[in-house]
Amino acid sequence: MTVAAGLVAEVDRAVSDVDRRMAFLLHVTPVNVAEACEAFTGASGDDPGFEYRPLPFDPRAEAAALAALPGLEGDGWATLVRAKRREVVIRLEMLARRGTPRFRELADLLYGGATKELAALAHQLLEAIPPAAPPRPVPGVAAAEIARRATAEVAAYRELLPELDCRLEVRPDVTGMIVEQGNLLIGRDTVVPPERVAALLHHEIGTHVLTHANGARQPLRVMRDGLAGYEELQEALGVLAEHLSGGLSPPRLRRLAERVAAVASMQAGASFRETYDLLGRRWELAPGAAFRVAMRAHRAGGLAKDLVYLRGLAALLAHLGAGRSFDVLFAGKVTLHDAAAVERLLGDRQCWVAPRYLDEPGVAERLDRIRAGMTVPDLLER
C-alpha cells in the first residue's frame, strides 16, 4: 500500500469510528412517540413534547478530532472519504444543535429541499391513491413474529455471507423498523399487515443489512458505513425491493408522498400543529398516522430526510431505464452519483452478494419492465 493509500485508510478508519459512535438516526428520533401522540391529539397546543436520547459523547469534540486529521489529496477513494468526513462533521453539528433552527438549516444542507418537481410528483400520487381505509379486522403481525421471520431471513443470508454480523432487537424506544450499523431494531409496538411482512424484510434486510455486510468486504469502511449522501439510494433500493417482490402496495407508495408533503410544509415554516392539520384535513390521514408523519418531518428541529424515499425512487427508476448498472449498487452503501466511480475502483473485485429476492418468481419480469422505462406513477399499474 502506498503512503497515499495508507493515509486514506487511516482517515477512513477515524471517520468510521466517529460515524458508528454517533448512531445519528437513533439520536434524532424521539423515544416517547406513543405518549407524545396521545397527549398531543387530546390537547390544543403545538408542542408535542418530544424527548430524545442523551448524547453519550461530545459532538463538538468529535468534530474537532475529525478536523485535526490530515487532509486528503487526489481522486479515487480519497474523494469519497473526503466527502464522508464533511458529511459526518455536519451530522455532529446537527446533534449539537438538536431542537434549534440551526439543526434544520444543516438538515436542509444534507437532504435538500422539496423542489417543485418532487412536490408535484407527491401531489400526483396523493390525488391518485385514496387515503388508507380503516384497519381490517384481520390481525396484523406483531413484533415478536416479525423478529422470528427476520431471524430466519438473516440466517439465509449468513449462508451466503458467513461473516454477516446482524443483531436483532425488539425495543420499546424504536418506532417501526430501522437498521442501525447493520443491526435490525424493531419497535416493540410494531404491527404489520401480513401481506407486507416479506416486502419489509426485503427492504430492511435485503437492502440495508445486506449492503452493510457487502460494504464490509470492500477496501475501505466508507463502503460499509455509507458514502456521503448514501441514504437516498438506500431507501430507493429498499422501496424497489418491495415492488420487485410484489409487496409495494398503493398505500405504501402514498405514504412516501405524504412524507414529502410533510417535509415541504415544515420547510415552508409551518408549525408541527399546522403540518399535522394539513395531513389530516387536506390529505385525510387518520390522527395517529398524521402525527407520525409530521413527527418524522419535525423531529429534532426539522429533518428533511423523508424527501429521499420518493426522490430516490424516481432517480433509481431513471437510472435503470437508462441501462445503467444495477449490480454494483449492492456492493456497499453507495450513491447513484458515485456508482460508476466505485465500479472503476473495485475493478475485477466483484466480491458482494446479490439480494435473495432477485431469484423470486416474477422479479426478473418486473425488472425488465423497469429497464424498459417506468416512472413512479407507473408502479401503480401492476
Side-chain angles (χ1 to χ4, degrees), residues 62-115:
E62 298 279 7
L66 290 183
L69 292 171
L72 297 179
E73 299 181 357
D75 52 14
W77 290 115
T79 299
L80 302 179
V81 175
R82 278 198 306 269
K84 183 63 177 183
R85 175 161 62 174
R86 287 194 297 270
E87 182 184 77
V88 170
V89 168
I90 291 172
R91 290 182 186 275
L92 288 167
E93 179 65 12
M94 289 173 68
L95 292 179
R97 301 297 191 101
R98 285 187 304 185
T100 72
R102 181 59 176 160
F103 179 93
R104 191 197 122 183
E105 293 173 3
L106 292 167
D108 290 353
L109 179 65
L110 279 187
Y111 298 109
T115 62

Side-chain angles (χ1 to χ4, degrees), residues 7-46:
L7 183 58
V8 170
E10 175 189 337
V11 175
D12 172 69
R13 285 192 299 272
V15 172
S16 174
D17 289 344
V18 174
D19 193 28
R20 292 175 70 79
R21 283 196 298 274
M22 183 168 48
F24 179 78
L25 194 57
L26 284 178
H27 285 114
V28 299
T29 301
V31 296
N32 64 329
V33 174
E35 299 85 350
C37 179
E38 183 177 355
F40 178 83
T41 53
S44 58
D46 187 67

Side-chain angles (χ1 to χ4, degrees), residues 201-343:
L201 293 182
H202 290 319
H203 181 130
E204 302 295 345
I205 298 173
T207 301
H208 302 326
V209 172
L210 177 63
T211 52
H212 182 275
N214 279 337
R217 290 183 155 196
Q218 308 310 340
L220 294 179
R221 296 182 185 181
V222 70
M223 289 288 289
R224 176 196 66 189
D225 301 336
L227 303 183
Y230 77 95
E231 289 166 303
E232 183 161 316
L233 178 58
Q234 276 289 293
E235 300 304 349
L237 286 171
V239 175
L240 184 67
E242 297 176 40
H243 168 73
L244 291 176
S245 60
L248 181 61
S249 64
R252 167 65 164 161
L253 202 54
R254 191 181 203 270
R255 181 52 45 86
L256 306 187
E258 293 164 357
R259 291 175 180 177
V260 171
V263 171
S265 172
M266 178 272 293
Q267 290 184 325
S271 67
F272 185 99
R273 172 71 68 175
E274 288 168 336
T275 299
Y276 171 84
D277 288 344
L278 170 74
L279 294 170
R281 284 200 305 261
R282 182 171 184 185
W283 301 120
E284 303 179 65
L285 273 71
F291 184 89
R292 288 189 296 273
V293 174
M295 175 276 292
R296 293 173 62 99
H298 284 267
R299 55 185 154 168
L303 187 66
K305 177 181 180 292
D306 273 356
L307 297 178
V308 307
Y309 293 82
L310 190 58
R311 185 175 66 202
L313 181 59
L316 178 56
L317 293 180
H319 174 91
L320 296 174
R324 298 190 179 98
S325 174
F326 187 47
D327 292 346
V328 74
L329 304 183
F330 296 96
K333 295 186 182 295
V334 305
T335 71
L336 286 181
H337 176 266
D338 295 316
V342 167
E343 199 160 25

Side-chain angles (χ1 to χ4, degrees), residues 150-236:
T151 299
E153 186 71 8
V154 169
Y157 274 108
R158 195 168 281 128
E159 292 183 4
L160 305 172
L161 278 164
E163 70 272 30
L164 188 150
D165 182 18
C166 174
R167 185 177 71 254
L168 280 80
E169 295 182 23
V170 176
R171 295 172 49 156
D173 59 345
V174 169
T175 301
M177 291 191 285
I178 63 172
V179 172
E180 183 69 41
Q181 299 173 6
N183 300 311
L184 178 61
L185 311 181
I186 304 169
R188 183 181 59 192
D189 299 326
T190 300
V191 178
V192 175
E195 68 274 13
R196 287 276 299 147
V197 175
L200 287 179
L201 293 182
H202 290 319
H203 181 130
E204 302 295 345
I205 298 173
T207 301
H208 302 326
V209 172
L210 177 63
T211 52
H212 182 275
N214 279 337
R217 290 183 155 196
Q218 308 310 340
L220 294 179
R221 296 182 185 181
V222 70
M223 289 288 289
R224 176 196 66 189
D225 301 336
L227 303 183
Y230 77 95
E231 289 166 303
E232 183 161 316
L233 178 58
Q234 276 289 293
E235 300 304 349

